[in-house]
Amino acid sequence: MIDIGTLLPSERDAWESLFRAYIHFYGRVEPDEMYERAWLEFQADTRLHAFGARLDGRLVGITHFFTHGNTSAPDTDVCYLQDLFTASDVRGKGVGRALIQAVADWARDRGCSRVYWNTHESNSTARLLYDKVAENRGFIRYQIELA
């Protein structure tokens, strides 16, 4: 059975290993300070939030998310699911789906009107799941890096 919940202090190393694998998957390299800052934010659980998925007590998946205001939903916040990653040996076992559902439940309980996320168009494995649990609205993301 998959157990979903907030990240425990004892899971720091396992979380970082999964997060580093996620960052590597997207071809990025981040400084060690980024991982420390993120971990502290998740432990504070005020601005940025995180859940872990556990199978037999082992952390096998993570998701990071936060809420923000939205001009098309002025009376409610929306929830952005920023990162989602599962260990390769548990893919296809419902871990990603359980993490998405946990974020949706969390957001619903806080009055959010929707949960949304992005993924790269080449991420075909994840998109198989995403197409089952959510609607692809066809948006294309643009980005400006600020130095």
Side-chain angles (χ1 to χ4, degrees), residues 1 4 8 13 33 35 39 41-42 57 61 64 74 83 85 89 93 97 108 120 129 144:
M1 182 172 160
I4 306 292
L8 305 172
D13 291 342
E33 299 80 36
Y35 297 97
W39 179 256
E41 287 279 0
F42 299 142
H64 307 146
D83 308 314
F85 190 78
D89 64 312
K93 297 184 183 207
R97 180 186 296 265
R108 186 179 300 105
H120 197 274
L129 169 62
I144 297 172

Side-chain angles (χ1 to χ4, degrees), residues 2-7 11 50-54 59-63 99:
I2 302 166
D3 175 48
I4 306 292
T6 57
L7 294 169
E11 295 174 317
F51 286 148
R54 297 161 195 87
L59 188 67
V60 295
I62 56 172
T63 187
L99 284 166

Side-chain angles (χ1 to χ4, degrees), residues 119-139:
T119 195
H120 197 274
E121 64 187 352
S122 66
N123 193 354
S124 57
T125 300
R127 291 182 65 194
L128 289 172
L129 169 62
Y130 300 163
D131 287 343
K132 291 175 186 168
V133 301
E135 177 185 359
N136 178 347
R137 310 245 15 234
F139 285 90

Side-chain angles (χ1 to χ4, degrees), residues 2-41:
I2 302 166
D3 175 48
I4 306 292
T6 57
L7 294 169
L8 305 172
S10 62
E11 295 174 317
R12 170 68 167 83
D13 291 342
W15 163 82
E16 185 171 328
S17 179
L18 289 167
F19 195 25
R20 283 185 182 275
Y22 170 84
I23 295 297
H24 177 76
F25 176 82
Y26 281 109
R28 295 173 22 216
V29 175
E30 298 292 346
D32 291 341
E33 299 80 36
M34 188 273 307
Y35 297 97
E36 182 62 21
R37 181 187 55 78
W39 179 256
L40 292 173
E41 287 279 0

Side-chain angles (χ1 to χ4, degrees), residues 59-129:
L59 188 67
V60 295
I62 56 172
T63 187
H64 307 146
F65 54 98
F66 59 89
T67 61
H68 63 87
N70 188 313
T71 58
S72 62
D75 293 337
T76 64
D77 285 345
V78 296
C79 181
Y80 178 56
L81 191 159
Q82 186 170 22
D83 308 314
L84 177 72
F85 190 78
T86 63
S88 59
D89 64 312
V90 300
R91 293 194 183 131
K93 297 184 183 207
V95 174
R97 180 186 296 265
L99 284 166
I100 292 169
Q101 187 61 54
V103 171
D105 291 344
W106 180 94
R108 186 179 300 105
D109 289 348
R110 282 150 186 82
C112 293
S113 59
R114 72 176 151 272
V115 174
Y116 72 102
W117 62 90
N118 299 306
T119 195
H120 197 274
E121 64 187 352
S122 66
N123 193 354
S124 57
T125 300
R127 291 182 65 194
L128 289 172
L129 169 62

